[in-house]
Amino acid sequence: MYCPDQKGIIADVTQFIHKNNGNIIYIDQYVDRVHKSFFMRVVIESEFKKSSFDDFKYSFNTEIGEHYSLKCSFYLAENLPNMAVFVSKYDHCLYDILSQQRSGKLACKIPFILSNHEDLSFIAKQFDVPFYYIPVEKNDKDEAEKKQLKLLKSHKVDCIVLARYMQILSSKLLDAYPNRIINIHHSFLPAFPGAKPYHSAFERGVKIIGATSHYVTEELDAGPIIEQDIVRVTHEHEVDDFILKGQDLERIVLLRALKYHCDRKIMVYNNKTVIFN
Amino acid sequence: MYCPDQKGIIADVTQFIHKNNGNIIYIDQYVDRVHKSFFMRVVIESEFKKSSFDDFKYSFNTEIGEHYSLKCSFYLAENLPNMAVFVSKYDHCLYDILSQQRSGKLACKIPFILSNHEDLSFIAKQFDVPFYYIPVEKNDKDEAEKKQLKLLKSHKVDCIVLARYMQILSSKLLDAYPNRIINIHHSFLPAFPGAKPYHSAFERGVKIIGATSHYVTEELDAGPIIEQDIVRVTHEHEVDDFILKGQDLERIVLLRALKYHCDRKIMVYNNKTVIFN
Amino acid sequence: MYCPDQKGIIADVTQFIHKNNGNIIYIDQYVDRVHKSFFMRVVIESEFKKSSFDDFKYSFNTEIGEHYSLKCSFYLAENLPNMAVFVSKYDHCLYDILSQQRSGKLACKIPFILSNHEDLSFIAKQFDVPFYYIPVEKNDKDEAEKKQLKLLKSHKVDCIVLARYMQILSSKLLDAYPNRIINIHHSFLPAFPGAKPYHSAFERGVKIIGATSHYVTEELDAGPIIEQDIVRVTHEHEVDDFILKGQDLERIVLLRALKYHCDRKIMVYNNKTVIFN
Amino acid sequence: MYCPDQKGIIADVTQFIHKNNGNIIYIDQYVDRVHKSFFMRVVIESEFKKSSFDDFKYSFNTEIGEHYSLKCSFYLAENLPNMAVFVSKYDHCLYDILSQQRSGKLACKIPFILSNHEDLSFIAKQFDVPFYYIPVEKNDKDEAEKKQLKLLKSHKVDCIVLARYMQILSSKLLDAYPNRIINIHHSFLPAFPGAKPYHSAFERGVKIIGATSHYVTEELDAGPIIEQDIVRVTHEHEVDDFILKGQDLERIVLLRALKYHCDRKIMVYNNKTVIFN
């Protein structure tokens, strides 16, 4: 939840939960002093039935939310997000996502894998996940986009991960999933946005390379950053070494970002992320 | 503050502050579910006069503290801790402490430097800090200890930093400064406690070495850990390289620990530290 | 190759290669000054036929090796090591090994997966690798060991990875694969050897946890360390968080170690590793 | 030394040293396959007199250097570089440089400190190093530059460190010290070059900030990178936290770069650095 910063919010929220027989097992808040905004994440244990969950939301909004102009999202822990995976030809992120999800470490459902190439269909088969091949023609992206949107809708997809999907998404898709499309970019943003970042990093002679996971927005590689990490390189490493080392980073950074997202720990605000961890 | 975990604490505390015209500019809490303990750190802006600060403390303890069995410490931001520095012959940590304190980045006063050797007196002179040379005889440690305690008392010292002080402190000193003596140990504890950790690390063939800052307790190198960090080594590094790389770590890790301590961000509990950062 | 350190080795070796129409594409050496030992790794491009490779080895040993008491291993790049994977119930390392090997990033063949439990057989099936279930009885380990040795022999296994295999290997197995059995231990060795390291780390209140990959020797968790890495924890993390964060480390650290090993970049010496990277 | 890559160089160089009674205590080489260039760093123990050092250089260049078109620099270990320190108002890097040099960990001489402000003269006094105050007028930089060049010449300065010196150097100065002026930039280059990088990083919402030490060239913040490092930040950190955390990075990264430079471990080539470490 977030709202303009005001006195008394924490007291009122915690009292409300207390009064409604909720037990707070996690609470964290953050105040952006520049923009005078208040953010809070609360995890509650309670003996909700489905119906009482709706009651709880209603009472909360009426008694607390409106007073403070709070924008609040409510999730039941048992409802996992439904996450579609988009890939092209690289397999390292896909393998990680599928095996971590299968192990129960990535708390989501994966309704399907979508690709503009057929190369990775065998991995989908290995993990028994539906695979949709939707090629993207240079001159006619509309066709592909329509199919994508239809698929997403029919599977009631909540969010999308671009696991090294090498196509730029259309505005329509972005509009349908605001702050719910997660990309992994293979550089330490904002250094080296766009194509071939490892080649550019090599050319520049950097001593550290990075990977960045972010929400996708209209402007290329400029959306809210979720997670970044780096690895050292030396003059002895050639472009191919950058790529190999980088791929290990990519899968780690993307997985961390996906876990934050699926665990509902991220709030997006002002093109930045607030992550309660 | 900390106390047994109970419902309603946060609500009551924040309401009390709110009611007493305090503005919470930082609040963070932590619940240890195993031991059912509750910890909270609150930073308040208010227009206290000295007298009203005492009133505030009294009211808080009466109205809230007693009810919840809260143990609470109160500090005025303008009262810096008074920290004595103990050294032997290594200068790297001493230089860092003095220059960071002088720059205003380490929020404390340094009443004196104490050493069992005279080697570093010139640095004390450079920074215009009193230097006391108290040699420690193998057979008569009592003499030195008495002098130390007298000095600490006369300067109203709040806490002590052992900035590579190569003597083991007596129980009397430890008892006088519980959880207020900070040491830097040149290994990644609990690996390699005691003497010559870099040599042991080299012998073992580790690929990473570390440094650990902790509060000093009776048992050697077993007190509550405040901060640790590491640096990579390879087969090419000899013991001397370990020492050089390690010294850079030591000063960084010690400084971070001192900053947490001087900023009153640490609570000690169950031989561990809770650090609100 | 390694030998006692003497003047002129590099010159003689490089001249020999030069003379035999080899093109050195990688050369690195390391001198242990304490033990006066010399280590070198050389990668050569040449137009060998199988037969001439044997000639080359013979000439090298006769002309150079004997003179300097060089111990030298020769590998053809196209001959990948044959690596058996031992697992118990944890799947994270197994998934990583199989997917990285499948992607061509881990340069080895995997003849089979062996386990003392049946739980992970479905993963073997996913990746179409033979799975052998050899239970280990507390009172009769001999039986299992005999079966293991027979399997290893019949598949001409070169090396073994213990990908969270929760049994202690017998001396016979260790003797058959000296410095060729790679384990991942879930702590920053030598801290917390043996069972339940995450629990011990939590109890001690460390601020950093680690993972260590090493060659297995008779003494538990005391073999030559290949790779280590760490991740930060805070007072907010419980044992379960340590385990989750640790498992991400384990797979990364183990994979790095396996890549060094499979790329023949490791020399073991004096219970340490020399890694040319 | 470096030259176009050719067969037989290592053999010839090591044989030459061997023949001239030198004992190689360090040798490392690197081949840039793209540009077909060869780099080597060799450290020799020998019983040179001053005169025989000149002989050695002459013979080497005649017998080996010319044949291979080698560009080679020779240094006697006892001749420390003479390094001028330029500062403005920030003291953290200056303190580190002076105390590390005084401790013998930074192997150089410091003939003077130069500043466009008088603020830090007291530190120069603490460490008993000459301090020159040369203000830089917006409209007349020539005046300052002339004084600077005169000072540098009269003190026979070998290299310059810009320890948070907030002025852009003139071409004349750059031309006089090619690849011998070391700067510390407070961002992870090439992200956030120019002014106020911490503010830009905060604005962008990055999760990691960095510092970069590089040789100064005509193009702002685009010279050969020597060393970089990073530190994590979260949404809770404000610009001031970025600055504080960053300053700790700056001094560490700059010191590492200075040590590489003073130990003659860096070769500059193609706007990149080859660092033998």
Side-chain angles (χ1 to χ4, degrees):
Chain A
M1 64 179 79
Y2 69 94
C3 66
D5 191 25
Q6 300 146 78
K7 283 193 182 179
I9 309 173
I10 301 177
D12 278 0
V13 170
T14 53
Q15 278 207 322
F16 175 87
I17 293 166
H18 190 190
K19 206 179 65 190
N20 284 270
N21 296 312
N23 187 21
I24 296 176
I25 62 172
Y26 175 93
I27 179 168
D28 207 355
Q29 60 283 323
Y30 161 66
V31 178
D32 180 332
R33 321 201 131 263
V34 181
H35 300 90
K36 304 214 177 300
S37 300
F38 174 87
F39 300 81
M40 188 155 73
R41 180 174 181 261
V42 185
V43 180
I44 307 170
E45 266 174 358
S46 192
E47 291 166 15
F48 283 136
K49 292 173 207 159
K50 271 264 163 179
S51 62
S52 61
F53 180 54
D54 289 332
D55 288 351
F56 180 87
K57 288 194 282 190
Y58 180 79
S59 317
F60 184 89
N61 283 329
T62 321
E63 294 181 35
I64 311 276
E66 284 171 19
H67 176 67
Y68 287 108
S69 311
L70 263 171
K71 295 203 179 171
C72 193
S73 303
F74 302 83
Y75 302 98
L76 282 176
E78 74 240 36
N79 288 352
L80 301 185
N82 208 22
M83 185 174 78
V85 183
F86 283 31
V87 293
S88 290
K89 292 187 170 181
Y90 287 112
D91 60 7
H92 51 288
C93 289
L94 179 59
Y95 263 130
D96 248 38
I97 290 167
L98 293 174
S99 47
Q100 293 274 306
Q101 189 257 1
R102 199 53 53 94
S103 302
K105 276 163 214 152
L106 178 62
C108 68
K109 289 173 287 179
I110 296 179
F112 62 83
I113 296 163
L114 181 155
S115 181
N116 56 333
H117 295 281
E118 293 181 286
D119 305 57
L120 302 183
S121 64
F122 77 99
I123 299 179
K125 211 173 164 188
Q126 274 188 319
F127 286 82
D128 201 23
V129 176
F131 181 90
Y132 296 104
Y133 165 51
I134 303 185
V136 180
E137 303 297 331
K138 265 204 168 168
N139 306 319
D140 186 13
K141 296 201 168 193
D142 281 2
E143 189 62 27
E145 185 195 295
K146 269 180 211 161
K147 287 185 194 163
Q148 291 173 351
L149 278 167
K150 205 175 149 193
L151 257 180
L152 292 165
K153 206 170 177 185
S154 72
H155 282 86
K156 292 182 183 166
V157 163
D158 295 311
C159 55
I160 301 170
V161 50
L162 308 183
R164 300 298 309 272
Y165 181 67
M166 313 301 265
Q167 293 288 329
I168 292 176
L169 299 187
S170 72
S171 303
K172 256 187 217 164
L173 221 76
L174 297 183
D175 290 347
Y177 290 91
N179 295 327
R180 288 189 286 148
I181 305 177
I182 295 170
N183 185 39
I184 178 72
H185 181 73
H186 40 314
S187 87
F188 187 85
L189 288 176
F192 312 122
K196 300 227 167 215
Y198 291 131
H199 291 77
S200 309
F202 179 76
E203 206 53 48
R204 178 63 186 91
V206 297
K207 298 299 184 186
I208 287 176
I209 56 171
T212 304
S213 183
H214 63 96
Y215 287 113
V216 180
T217 55
E218 285 285 336
E219 192 184 339
L220 186 66
D221 296 329
I225 293 172
I226 305 172
E227 172 69 351
Q228 305 189 286
D229 212 341
I230 57 100
V231 67
R232 289 196 162 268
V233 291
T234 75
H235 63 272
E236 294 187 288
H237 297 110
E238 304 184 14
V239 173
D240 285 350
D241 300 311
F242 279 39
I243 292 172
L244 275 180
K245 280 173 173 279
Q247 289 181 345
D248 266 351
L249 260 191
E250 291 163 28
R251 57 195 189 104
I252 293 161
V253 168
L254 179 57
L255 253 290
R256 283 195 211 133
L258 293 179
K259 285 177 186 174
Y260 291 145
H261 182 89
C262 291
D263 295 347
R264 282 95 178 210
K265 291 182 172 170
I266 309 180
M267 296 185 202
V268 176
Y269 155 79
N270 205 17
N271 207 43
K272 296 184 186 184
T273 57
V274 171
I275 300 180
F276 291 112
N277 188 27
Chain B
M1 64 179 77
Y2 70 94
C3 66
D5 191 24
Q6 299 145 78
K7 282 193 184 179
I9 309 173
I10 300 177
D12 279 359
V13 170
T14 52
Q15 278 208 324
F16 174 88
I17 293 166
H18 190 189
K19 205 179 65 190
N20 285 270
N21 296 311
N23 187 22
I24 296 177
I25 61 171
Y26 174 92
I27 179 167
D28 207 354
Q29 60 283 325
Y30 161 67
V31 178
D32 180 333
R33 320 200 131 263
V34 181
H35 300 90
K36 303 212 177 300
S37 300
F38 174 85
F39 301 81
M40 186 153 75
R41 180 173 181 260
V42 185
V43 180
I44 306 170
E45 266 174 359
S46 192
E47 291 167 15
F48 283 137
K49 291 175 205 157
K50 271 265 164 179
S51 60
S52 61
F53 180 56
D54 289 333
D55 288 351
F56 181 88
K57 287 194 282 189
Y58 180 80
S59 318
F60 184 90
N61 282 330
T62 320
E63 294 179 34
I64 312 275
E66 285 170 17
H67 176 66
Y68 286 108
S69 310
L70 262 172
K71 293 201 181 172
C72 192
S73 303
F74 301 84
Y75 302 99
L76 282 175
E78 74 239 35
N79 288 352
L80 301 184
N82 207 23
M83 183 174 77
V85 183
F86 284 31
V87 293
S88 290
K89 292 185 168 182
Y90 287 111
D91 60 6
H92 52 288
C93 289
L94 180 59
Y95 263 129
D96 248 38
I97 291 169
L98 293 175
S99 48
Q100 292 273 306
Q101 190 258 0
R102 199 55 51 96
S103 301
K105 276 164 214 152
L106 179 61
C108 67
K109 288 173 288 179
I110 297 178
F112 63 84
I113 295 162
L114 182 155
S115 182
N116 57 332
H117 296 282
E118 293 181 286
D119 306 56
L120 302 184
S121 64
F122 78 98
I123 299 178
K125 212 173 161 188
Q126 275 189 316
F127 284 83
D128 202 23
V129 176
F131 182 90
Y132 297 104
Y133 165 51
I134 302 184
V136 180
E137 303 296 331
K138 266 203 167 167
N139 306 319
D140 186 12
K141 297 200 169 196
D142 281 5
E143 189 62 26
E145 186 196 292
K146 271 181 208 160
K147 286 185 194 164
Q148 291 173 352
L149 278 167
K150 205 176 146 191
L151 257 179
L152 292 165
K153 207 170 177 186
S154 72
H155 281 85
K156 291 182 182 165
V157 163
D158 294 311
C159 55
I160 301 169
V161 50
L162 308 183
R164 297 299 309 273
Y165 180 68
M166 311 302 264
Q167 293 287 328
I168 292 176
L169 298 189
S170 71
S171 303
K172 257 187 215 161
L173 220 74
L174 297 184
D175 291 347
Y177 289 92
N179 295 327
R180 289 187 285 149
I181 305 177
I182 294 171
N183 185 39
I184 178 72
H185 182 72
H186 39 314
S187 87
F188 187 85
L189 290 175
F192 312 121
K196 299 226 167 216
Y198 290 130
H199 291 77
S200 308
F202 178 77
E203 205 54 47
R204 178 62 186 89
V206 297
K207 298 298 185 186
I208 286 176
I209 56 172
T212 305
S213 184
H214 62 95
Y215 287 113
V216 180
T217 55
E218 285 286 334
E219 193 184 337
L220 187 65
D221 297 328
I225 293 172
I226 305 170
E227 173 67 352
Q228 305 189 287
D229 212 339
I230 57 100
V231 68
R232 288 196 162 268
V233 291
T234 75
H235 63 272
E236 294 186 289
H237 296 112
E238 305 185 13
V239 175
D240 285 349
D241 300 312
F242 279 38
I243 292 173
L244 276 180
K245 279 170 171 282
Q247 288 180 345
D248 265 350
L249 261 191
E250 292 164 28
R251 58 195 189 104
I252 293 161
V253 169
L254 179 57
L255 253 290
R256 281 195 211 134
L258 294 179
K259 285 176 187 175
Y260 292 145
H261 182 89
C262 291
D263 294 346
R264 282 98 177 207
K265 291 182 171 171
I266 310 179
M267 296 184 202
V268 176
Y269 155 79
N270 205 17
N271 206 42
K272 296 184 186 183
T273 58
V274 170
I275 300 181
F276 290 112
N277 187 27
Chain C
M1 64 179 78
Y2 69 94
C3 66
D5 191 24
Q6 300 145 78
K7 283 193 183 178
I9 309 172
I10 301 177
D12 279 1
V13 169
T14 53
Q15 279 208 323
F16 174 88
I17 294 166
H18 189 189
K19 207 179 64 191
N20 284 269
N21 297 312
N23 187 22
I24 297 176
I25 62 171
Y26 174 92
I27 179 168
D28 206 355
Q29 59 283 323
Y30 161 67
V31 178
D32 180 332
R33 320 202 131 263
V34 181
H35 300 89
K36 303 213 177 301
S37 300
F38 175 86
F39 301 81
M40 187 154 74
R41 180 173 181 262
V42 185
V43 181
I44 306 169
E45 266 174 0
S46 192
E47 291 166 15
F48 283 136
K49 292 174 205 160
K50 271 264 162 178
S51 61
S52 62
F53 180 55
D54 288 332
D55 289 351
F56 180 87
K57 287 194 282 190
Y58 180 80
S59 316
F60 184 88
N61 282 329
T62 322
E63 293 180 34
I64 312 276
E66 284 171 19
H67 176 66
Y68 287 108
S69 310
L70 263 172
K71 295 202 181 173
C72 193
S73 303
F74 301 83
Y75 303 99
L76 281 176
E78 75 240 34
N79 288 352
L80 301 184
N82 207 24
M83 184 174 77
V85 183
F86 283 32
V87 293
S88 290
K89 292 185 169 183
Y90 287 112
D91 60 6
H92 52 288
C93 289
L94 179 59
Y95 263 130
D96 247 38
I97 290 168
L98 293 175
S99 48
Q100 292 274 305
Q101 190 258 0
R102 199 56 50 95
S103 302
K105 277 164 213 151
L106 178 61
C108 67
K109 289 172 288 178
I110 297 179
F112 63 83
I113 296 163
L114 181 155
S115 181
N116 56 333
H117 296 282
E118 293 181 286
D119 305 57
L120 303 184
S121 64
F122 77 98
I123 299 178
K125 213 172 161 189
Q126 274 188 319
F127 284 83
D128 201 23
V129 176
F131 182 90
Y132 297 103
Y133 165 51
I134 303 184
V136 180
E137 303 296 330
K138 263 205 168 167
N139 306 318
D140 186 12
K141 297 201 168 192
D142 280 4
E143 189 62 27
E145 185 196 295
K146 270 182 210 160
K147 286 185 194 163
Q148 290 173 352
L149 278 166
K150 205 175 147 191
L151 257 179
L152 292 164
K153 208 171 176 182
S154 72
H155 282 85
K156 292 183 182 165
V157 163
D158 295 311
C159 55
I160 301 169
V161 51
L162 308 183
R164 299 299 308 273
Y165 180 68
M166 312 301 265
Q167 294 286 329
I168 292 175
L169 298 188
S170 72
S171 303
K172 256 187 218 163
L173 220 75
L174 297 183
D175 290 347
Y177 289 92
N179 296 326
R180 289 188 286 148
I181 305 177
I182 295 170
N183 185 38
I184 179 71
H185 182 73
H186 39 315
S187 86
F188 187 86
L189 289 176
F192 312 122
K196 300 228 167 213
Y198 290 131
H199 290 76
S200 308
F202 178 77
E203 206 53 48
R204 178 62 186 92
V206 297
K207 298 299 184 187
I208 287 176
I209 57 172
T212 305
S213 184
H214 61 96
Y215 287 113
V216 180
T217 55
E218 285 286 336
E219 192 184 338
L220 186 65
D221 296 329
I225 293 172
I226 304 171
E227 173 67 352
Q228 306 188 286
D229 212 340
I230 57 100
V231 68
R232 288 196 163 267
V233 291
T234 76
H235 62 272
E236 295 186 288
H237 296 111
E238 305 184 15
V239 174
D240 284 349
D241 300 312
F242 279 38
I243 292 173
L244 275 180
K245 279 171 172 280
Q247 288 181 346
D248 266 350
L249 260 191
E250 292 164 26
R251 57 195 190 104
I252 293 162
V253 169
L254 179 56
L255 253 290
R256 282 195 211 133
L258 294 179
K259 285 176 186 173
Y260 291 146
H261 182 88
C262 292
D263 294 346
R264 282 96 178 208
K265 291 182 171 171
I266 310 179
M267 296 185 202
V268 177
Y269 155 80
N270 205 17
N271 206 43
K272 296 184 186 183
T273 57
V274 170
I275 300 180
F276 290 112
N277 189 27
Chain D
M1 65 179 78
Y2 69 93
C3 65
D5 191 23
Q6 299 145 80
K7 282 192 183 179
I9 309 173
I10 300 177
D12 279 0
V13 169
T14 53
Q15 279 207 324
F16 175 88
I17 293 166
H18 190 190
K19 206 180 65 190
N20 285 270
N21 297 311
N23 187 22
I24 296 176
I25 62 172
Y26 174 92
I27 180 169
D28 207 355
Q29 60 282 326
Y30 161 66
V31 178
D32 180 331
R33 319 201 131 262
V34 181
H35 300 90
K36 303 213 176 301
S37 300
F38 174 86
F39 301 81
M40 186 155 73
R41 181 174 180 260
V42 184
V43 180
I44 307 169
E45 265 174 0
S46 191
E47 291 166 15
F48 282 136
K49 291 173 206 159
K50 272 266 164 178
S51 60
S52 61
F53 180 55
D54 289 332
D55 288 352
F56 181 87
K57 288 194 281 189
Y58 181 79
S59 317
F60 184 89
N61 282 328
T62 320
E63 293 180 35
I64 311 277
E66 284 170 19
H67 176 67
Y68 287 108
S69 311
L70 263 171
K71 293 202 181 174
C72 192
S73 303
F74 300 84
Y75 302 99
L76 283 175
E78 73 240 36
N79 288 351
L80 301 184
N82 207 24
M83 183 174 78
V85 183
F86 284 30
V87 294
S88 290
K89 292 185 169 181
Y90 287 112
D91 60 7
H92 51 288
C93 289
L94 180 59
Y95 264 129
D96 248 38
I97 290 168
L98 293 175
S99 48
Q100 292 273 307
Q101 190 258 0
R102 199 55 51 93
S103 302
K105 276 163 214 151
L106 179 61
C108 68
K109 290 173 289 179
I110 296 179
F112 64 83
I113 295 162
L114 182 155
S115 182
N116 56 332
H117 295 283
E118 292 182 285
D119 305 56
L120 302 183
S121 64
F122 78 98
I123 299 179
K125 212 173 162 188
Q126 275 188 317
F127 285 82
D128 202 23
V129 176
F131 182 90
Y132 297 103
Y133 165 51
I134 303 184
V136 180
E137 303 298 332
K138 266 201 168 169
N139 306 318
D140 186 13
K141 296 200 169 193
D142 281 3
E143 189 63 26
E145 185 196 294
K146 271 181 210 162
K147 286 186 194 163
Q148 291 173 351
L149 279 166
K150 204 175 148 192
L151 257 180
L152 292 165
K153 206 169 178 187
S154 72
H155 282 85
K156 292 181 182 167
V157 164
D158 295 312
C159 55
I160 301 170
V161 51
L162 309 183
R164 298 298 310 271
Y165 180 68
M166 312 301 265
Q167 293 288 328
I168 293 176
L169 298 187
S170 71
S171 303
K172 257 188 217 162
L173 220 74
L174 296 183
D175 290 347
Y177 290 91
N179 295 327
R180 287 188 286 149
I181 305 178
I182 295 170
N183 185 40
I184 178 71
H185 182 74
H186 39 313
S187 87
F188 187 85
L189 289 176
F192 312 122
K196 299 228 169 214
Y198 291 131
H199 290 77
S200 308
F202 178 77
E203 207 54 48
R204 179 63 186 91
V206 296
K207 298 298 185 187
I208 287 177
I209 57 171
T212 305
S213 183
H214 62 95
Y215 288 113
V216 180
T217 55
E218 285 285 334
E219 193 184 338
L220 187 65
D221 296 328
I225 293 173
I226 305 171
E227 173 68 352
Q228 305 189 287
D229 213 340
I230 58 101
V231 67
R232 288 195 163 268
V233 290
T234 75
H235 64 271
E236 295 187 287
H237 296 111
E238 305 185 14
V239 174
D240 285 349
D241 299 312
F242 279 38
I243 292 173
L244 275 180
K245 279 172 173 280
Q247 289 182 345
D248 266 350
L249 261 191
E250 292 164 27
R251 57 194 189 105
I252 293 160
V253 168
L254 180 56
L255 253 290
R256 282 196 210 133
L258 294 180
K259 285 176 186 174
Y260 292 145
H261 181 89
C262 291
D263 293 348
R264 282 96 179 210
K265 291 181 171 171
I266 310 179
M267 296 184 202
V268 176
Y269 155 78
N270 206 15
N271 206 43
K272 297 184 185 184
T273 58
V274 171
I275 300 181
F276 291 112
N277 188 27

